[in-house]
Amino acid sequence: MAKRNKIALIGAGNIGGELAALVARRQLGDVVLFDIPAKADFARGKALDLMQNAAIEGFDANVVGTSDWKDCAGADVIIVTAGVPRKPGQSRDDLVGINLPIIENVARGAKEHCPDAFTIIISNPLDVMVWAFREVTGFDARKVVGMAGVLDSARLQHFLAAEAGVSHKDVRAMVLGGHGDDMVPARGYCTVNGVPVSELIAADKLDAIEKRTRGGGGEIVKLMGTSAYYAPATAAIEMAEAYLYDQKRLLPCAVRLTGQYGYDDLYLGVPVVIGGAGAEKIVEITLSDAEKAMLAKSAESVRGVVEVAKRLRAQASA
Ligand SMILES: NC(=O)c1ccc[n+]([C@@H]2O[C@H](COP(=O)([O-])OP(=O)(O)OC[C@H]3O[C@@H](n4cnc5c(N)ncnc54)[C@H](O)[C@@H]3O)[C@@H](O)[C@H]2O)c1
């Protein structure tokens, strides 16, 4: 008998709920919406709301809420949003002390119950949380990736489309590096249907758009008091679909570098082919000297927070 995919969403908050709705609507598989015991009823409530939505929308996916890892067993894909989001004035790196033990806890659950899943981490600080998840699970690094570049590129694409007065559909953009304020918009790879953006938008306007993209998450946190959830969820679903349908999409994702771009044992956002084997191929593109310098700064920031995480892990096990 053909079997449906099983998608375990770890964290049933703002992004988790939106992810569940997207998985159900796109019929990617059955959904397990997991949260801590204190939020189990909240997860069950969201699941029930979505199942009632099935009666209106006509999807067949089954959605359940739970706080029992056993319900996640055998998941094909796990998407992790467990943890706290930023509040106005906070940086993503400020979250490391709170979110690190949460990710370690999630990683232990995933290791025991979902050893074959393709895992997409969303929790912040992104590059460090995906590194920590891999450290604890020891999973094949091709099956553990972080979502940031697809979202940051979407933010850049939106601002470019608005400035150039063209359809979002025709704008392609690539944002690399860590998911922090020193991320790297790779201008040479941003086009409107193949036309370099520099031919359509003045350099000073592009500078301003790239600056706004770097602060794009913070802009929404300031407006809403919490972080974005619609575009982050859709970005992760794009990655999940690439894996489930073996699409071989070339997407900017946080992947473990083993020498590529000159970095070793570091999770950082770079272009990667996502297909049925996970992060199948890291693609090394030519960067300008300025972009290389920006990437080095971004990598240094990520490395700094990884060191903080290592110290916290050592203290906790002492
Ligand atoms: N990577 C990105 O581009 C990106 C974009 C936006 C937000 N984020 C991050 O995603 C995370 C989630 O954001 P949100 O808006 O959904 O937050 P939220 O507070 O709405 O939801 C988080 C959920 O995680 C749950 N949780 C806590 N500990 C858990 C555990 N051990 N196991 C399972 N669940 C647990 C909480 O109970 C809560 O329901 C935050 O860290 C945020 O900073 C990342």
Side-chain angles (χ1 to χ4, degrees):
M1 191 176 74
K3 99 175 187 13
R4 285 200 205 146
N5 292 318
K6 181 169 176 177
I7 322 284
L9 306 174
I10 313 302
N14 283 338
I15 305 178
E18 184 58 19
L19 284 168
L22 286 166
V23 170
R25 251 180 222 132
R26 297 190 186 190
Q27 312 228 46
L28 292 184
D30 289 335
V31 178
V32 180
L33 196 50
F34 175 97
D35 212 299
I36 51 175
K39 297 286 282 291
D41 276 348
F42 182 72
R44 285 190 196 101
K46 278 203 180 183
L48 185 57
D49 188 8
L50 281 165
M51 288 312 290
Q52 291 163 0
N53 203 24
I56 304 166
E57 296 208 31
F59 56 75
D60 295 316
N62 194 38
V63 186
V64 296
T66 186
S67 61
D68 187 345
W69 265 103
K70 289 196 194 84
D71 294 324
C72 301
D76 299 285
V77 171
I78 309 176
I79 308 181
V80 179
T81 60
V84 297
R86 284 194 281 171
K87 294 197 178 62
Q90 278 187 313
S91 82
R92 295 175 181 92
D93 295 347
D94 291 339
L95 304 176
V96 66
I98 300 175
N99 285 351
L100 180 66
I102 292 176
I103 288 296
E104 289 176 322
N105 174 270
V106 169
R108 287 190 288 273
K111 187 174 182 178
E112 184 176 350
H113 298 281
C114 315
D116 300 320
F118 177 61
T119 302
I120 302 168
I121 306 288
I122 300 185
S123 313
N124 273 320
L126 188 272
D127 307 270
V128 183
M129 293 301 100
V130 60
W131 169 86
F133 183 95
R134 227 281 308 170
E135 281 290 299
V136 175
T137 58
F139 286 169
D140 179 347
R142 288 179 309 169
K143 301 287 278 292
V144 181
V145 298
M147 187 295 292
V150 176
L151 172 66
D152 296 327
S153 302
R155 286 178 171 151
L156 176 55
Q157 281 161 19
H158 166 62
F159 299 140
L160 291 170
E163 182 59 37
V166 298
S167 166
H168 286 85
K169 280 186 283 200
D170 290 331
V171 181
R172 304 310 308 161
M174 185 78 86
V175 177
L176 309 177
H179 186 49
D181 294 348
D182 44 19
M183 62 182 75
V184 185
R187 192 178 292 187
Y189 295 92
C190 298
T191 74
V192 179
N193 223 346
V195 179
V197 286
S198 53
E199 294 200 16
L200 301 171
I201 301 174
D204 60 332
K205 291 257 167 57
L206 285 172
D207 290 343
I209 284 172
E210 288 167 3
K211 184 164 183 264
R212 189 173 177 196
T213 300
R214 287 197 195 94
E219 183 177 353
I220 291 179
V221 172
K222 207 168 160 200
L223 289 166
M224 298 205 302
T226 189
S227 54
Y229 42 94
Y230 294 116
T234 320
I237 292 296
E238 192 165 53
M239 294 164 64
E241 279 180 346
Y243 170 75
L244 288 168
Y245 299 141
D246 190 23
Q247 287 172 336
K248 318 282 187 205
R249 295 283 314 271
L250 177 70
L251 299 170
C253 305
V255 285
R256 183 166 179 261
L257 299 180
T258 51
Q260 299 90 343
Y261 292 91
Y263 302 101
D264 194 29
D265 190 25
L266 189 70
Y267 266 90
L268 202 62
V270 296
V272 57
V273 176
I274 305 281
E280 295 183 354
K281 187 178 172 208
I282 293 171
V283 178
E284 291 194 72
I285 59 174
T286 309
L287 297 175
S288 67
D289 287 346
E291 286 163 345
K292 275 187 205 154
M294 275 194 276
L295 192 65
K297 184 163 179 269
S298 180
E300 199 183 313
S301 300
V302 174
R303 186 85 77 192
V305 186
V306 166
E307 290 308 319
V308 172
K310 280 184 181 167
R311 276 201 296 280
L312 291 171
R313 276 170 63 72
Q315 277 164 17
S317 65

